Amino acid sequence: MDALRQIFQNLLDRFMQMPVARRMTVLVVFVGMVAGGVFFSMMEKTGGDGVLFSNLSPGDSMAIQGRLNRLGVPYHLSKKGSVIRVPSGQVYALRMELADEGLPRHHGAGFDLFNHPSLATTDFVQRVQYLEALQTELDRTIEEMTPIALARVSIVLPRRTVFLREPDQSHASVLVRLKPGMTLEHPQVNGIVHLVANAVPGLSASRVTVVDTEGQILNRKRRGLVPGELTEAQLSYQREVEQSVQHQLQSMLDKVLGPDQSVVRVSAELNFRQVEKSSRTWDPNGRVLKDREQIREKSTGSRILPIGVPGVLSNMPGANGKVASPPMGPKNTAETRYSKKKQIAHYHVSHTDQHVTEPVGNLRRISVSVLVNAVPVTIQSKTGPKTVMQPRDPKEIRDFTRIVQNAIGFDSARGDQVVVLSVPFSGTSAPSPKNIDQSFQEKLAPFVPLLEIFLGGLLLVIFSLLVLRPLLKAMVQWKPEVSPMQPAEGPPLGKAEVAETVRSSRDEVARMTQEDPGQAAIVVRSWLKEK
């Protein structure tokens, strides 16, 4: 303790003997080091980096990086990408959000498991490992599809037996978790079914079941259509039409308003009736002679004219069974003439036959709804300028409505509808100083470790040069100050001894001045104070 007390006393004496400027420099450096330590400790608590996930596979690491880029979250990679670090204040929120999307997937090794075979592995263990590896590979393959966030494949292989009359069949089930806002189309479900069926020996597509996380069987066969019900192809075509119009409108508004500043929804009603019409039109003014028929009769000369009562009685047989001949009248001696003329003409009348088949799937009616984000406006309040979100000008909304109507081919007679509204979007607010500071901290966060190292090293160098070096030198060279002109206690010295003492003191002062000018200045200053 005495030694430490002596060292501390020496340091304190040395500090008090320093010039005022140097003492102020030492104090400023010491206070700066303390303030820097407090500052970086606070940043470590509030804005430091925390480990989001570790021991990630390359596929999971790439998927998580893509999601963080879309969210605009800064991150750092370490250990060849297997460790991802994010701001510590966002670690738990990001873990929950990524877990909702099935990240990380925590897959097994797949067929990489067999890269290191073992002689002690039994046949049963190898079969279990093969089945697990096959399921893992199918999980990874199915999760490559865009709408799927997570997939789990379970396969049941038949037990080997010598009885082949009724062999067991392989079965498989696939559980899929879809990404928010996305659905699986019927062709994609069929693709999953055939992918699993062709990857497993002895498995047919009819023995594969695809289920989502809500318990709905996605590959269930539909019953017969109700009369008038739309088919799967018709529904798919209707969705394609709606998505095409929606994409065109969304891309146009993004060019004007910017990304994520508008939302477009389209509902199209299509006509899937199959109509065929046949008609024939006659033109009475257009005719062509087809054929003509003429009949002429002419009779010349005398003839005997029959007389008697006309009727049935004159032609009935009498008692002898014979029909009495009709009485003939006297011959007409005058000349008899007979003439007959008849003419018939047939014409082709022109006509037009029409057979019309109306197109299927034409647009019957379309409805469009557009939401436009509000604009930030700065207003004066009691606490000062404040930025709030206000709806857009009505004239601007009318212009957007007219633009959307022209883009979709609006037809009021068809019953089309277009609605454009300006509302503040959820999750978007006017920029505030707090948000600006937070964004600045997020931008500065990647450079904080480098700044800590640089500033810490700089402060250490300054402290060493200005404080430690002089103090250490003073500890080595420090001696009690004795005035060279003060005679030592004892008998009085002679003239020769005094001259020798003065000469040695002068040499000592010269040597001290050359070795340590600062120390020499302190000694001279002390002499002046004593005088």
Side-chain angles (χ1 to χ4, degrees):
M1 292 298 294
D2 294 337
L4 292 177
R5 187 179 297 105
Q6 183 65 28
I7 293 175
F8 180 76
Q9 185 64 33
N10 293 339
L11 292 176
L12 182 60
D13 294 339
R14 175 62 180 167
F15 179 76
M16 296 304 297
Q17 291 176 3
M18 288 182 179
V20 179
R22 179 166 294 186
R23 281 187 288 178
M24 292 299 297
T25 304
V26 172
L27 290 177
V28 170
V29 171
F30 180 76
V31 173
M33 293 184 64
V34 174
V38 173
F39 172 74
F40 286 117
S41 64
M42 294 298 294
M43 290 195 66
E44 183 68 23
K45 292 180 180 179
T46 58
D49 290 341
V51 177
L52 181 63
F53 293 109
S54 59
N55 299 325
L56 293 173
S57 64
D60 287 344
S61 179
M62 185 171 60
I64 293 174
Q65 292 177 42
R67 182 57 181 165
L68 292 178
N69 289 330
R70 289 192 296 272
L71 294 174
V73 178
Y75 62 90
H76 308 287
L77 302 178
S78 59
K79 296 184 179 180
K80 298 181 180 181
S82 61
V83 177
I84 299 180
R85 306 176 70 91
V86 297
S88 58
Q90 304 180 17
V91 170
Y92 299 105
L94 289 174
R95 284 179 182 176
M96 295 176 64
E97 185 169 355
L98 293 174
D100 184 61
E101 299 182 6
L103 294 174
R105 296 182 175 90
H106 303 292
H107 287 306
F111 285 111
D112 297 338
L113 183 66
F114 297 97
N115 292 337
H116 306 284
S118 176
L119 297 177
T121 305
T122 62
D123 180 66
F124 175 75
V125 174
Q126 286 185 347
R127 290 177 57 191
V128 173
Q129 291 178 348
Y130 169 77
L131 184 60
E132 182 180 357
L134 180 60
Q135 294 176 163
T136 301
E137 295 293 338
L138 289 174
D139 293 345
R140 294 175 178 175
T141 304
I142 294 174
E143 287 176 357
E144 294 297 326
M145 302 179 68
T146 304
I148 296 179
L150 183 65
R152 289 288 182 269
V153 179
S154 301
I155 301 174
V156 178
L157 297 178
R159 181 180 300 178
R160 295 179 182 179
T161 178
V162 296
F163 300 101
L164 301 178
R165 179 174 298 177
E166 296 180 358
D168 294 335
Q169 300 292 334
S170 301
H171 296 78
S173 60
V174 182
L175 175 67
V176 294
R177 177 190 296 173
L178 302 180
K179 295 179 181 178
M182 304 194 73
T183 58
L184 271 178
E185 302 292 340
H186 187 67
Q188 294 174 321
V189 176
N190 288 336
I192 294 175
V193 171
H194 287 83
L195 175 67
V196 176
N198 294 325
V200 180
L203 179 62
S204 62
S206 60
R207 288 182 170 83
V208 179
T209 304
V210 181
V211 185
D212 61 5
T213 52
E214 296 181 358
Q216 298 180 359
I217 301 177
L218 303 180
N219 63 331
R220 176 182 295 172
K221 293 184 179 180
R222 297 187 60 185
R223 300 178 180 178
L225 292 176
V226 178
E229 183 182 1
L230 297 180
T231 63
E232 186 68 26
Q234 292 173 347
L235 293 174
S236 177
Y237 177 71
Q238 182 174 343
R239 284 192 294 267
E240 290 179 2
V241 171
E242 294 175 348
Q243 293 175 0
S244 176
V245 177
Q246 178 177 332
H247 176 70
Q248 294 177 1
L249 295 176
Q250 189 68 64
S251 60
M252 179 182 64
L253 293 176
D254 288 345
K255 292 292 184 181
V256 179
L257 302 174
D260 300 329
Q261 295 298 314
S262 61
V263 178
V264 180
R265 291 295 181 266
V266 178
S267 176
E269 183 179 348
L270 305 181
N271 183 12
F272 292 104
R273 294 188 305 169
Q274 298 180 357
V275 179
E276 295 183 2
K277 294 182 180 180
S278 298
S279 62
R280 174 174 291 184
T281 304
W282 299 88
D283 186 9
N285 296 325
R287 58 182 181 174
V288 179
L289 180 64
K290 176 181 179 183
D291 56 22
R292 180 176 294 174
E293 181 181 354
Q294 293 182 353
I295 300 176
R296 294 182 179 181
E297 293 184 4
K298 185 176 181 181
S299 178
T300 302
S302 60
R303 60 177 177 174
I304 302 174
L305 300 177
I307 59 174
V309 179
V312 180
L313 296 178
S314 301
N315 296 318
M316 293 181 62
N320 55 2
K322 294 181 179 181
V323 178
S325 298
M328 306 299 290
K331 294 183 179 181
N332 188 4
T333 57
E335 185 178 355
T336 303
R337 296 178 181 274
Y338 172 79
S339 178
K340 181 180 179 181
K341 186 178 180 180
K342 185 178 181 181
Q343 184 175 354
I344 301 174
H346 298 275
Y347 292 92
H348 284 295
V349 179
S350 63
H351 65 278
T352 303
D353 293 333
Q354 290 184 349
H355 184 78
V356 179
T357 301
E358 294 184 358
V360 180
N362 57 338
L363 186 62
R364 178 184 297 173
R365 189 171 65 90
I366 186 170
S367 301
V368 179
S369 298
V370 179
L371 295 179
V372 181
N373 195 11
V375 294
V377 177
T378 303
I379 59 175
Q380 295 294 333
S381 62
K382 296 181 179 179
T383 59
K386 183 180 179 181
T387 304
V388 296
M389 305 296 291
Q390 289 186 357
R392 296 179 180 268
D393 186 68
K395 182 179 180 301
E396 188 177 3
I397 297 299
R398 288 194 296 270
D399 293 338
F400 282 129
T401 303
R402 187 166 60 254
I403 291 173
V404 173
Q405 289 177 349
N406 293 334
I408 66 173
F410 180 81
D411 187 1
S412 58
R414 195 170 53 191
D416 297 346
Q417 294 181 355
V418 174
V419 178
V420 180
L421 295 177
S422 177
V423 295
F425 286 3
S426 176
T428 60
S429 59
S432 61
K434 183 177 179 181
N435 294 334
I436 295 175
D437 295 341
Q438 185 176 3
S439 62
F440 176 75
Q441 291 181 1
E442 292 178 355
K443 293 180 180 179
L444 186 63
F447 305 100
V448 169
L450 297 178
L451 290 176
E452 291 178 355
I453 297 174
F454 176 75
L455 294 179
L458 181 61
L459 292 175
L460 182 61
V461 170
I462 294 175
F463 185 77
S464 300
L465 292 177
L466 298 181
V467 179
L468 293 181
R469 183 172 177 270
L471 291 178
L472 292 176
K473 186 180 292 185
M475 290 175 62
V476 174
Q477 299 179 356
W478 186 83
K479 294 180 180 179
E481 295 184 4
V482 178
S483 176
M485 302 304 297
Q486 181 180 0
E489 297 181 356
L493 300 177
K495 295 182 178 180
E497 294 177 353
V498 172
E500 182 65 25
T501 303
V502 172
R503 188 182 301 108
S504 62
S505 299
R506 187 179 303 165
D507 295 337
E508 181 68 21
V509 170
R511 185 183 63 79
M512 184 182 298
T513 304
Q514 291 179 357
E515 292 181 356
D516 192 352
Q519 183 68 20
I522 294 173
V523 173
V524 172
R525 187 179 295 109
S526 64
W527 289 350
L528 294 176
K529 289 182 179 179
E530 290 177 359
K531 292 182 179 181

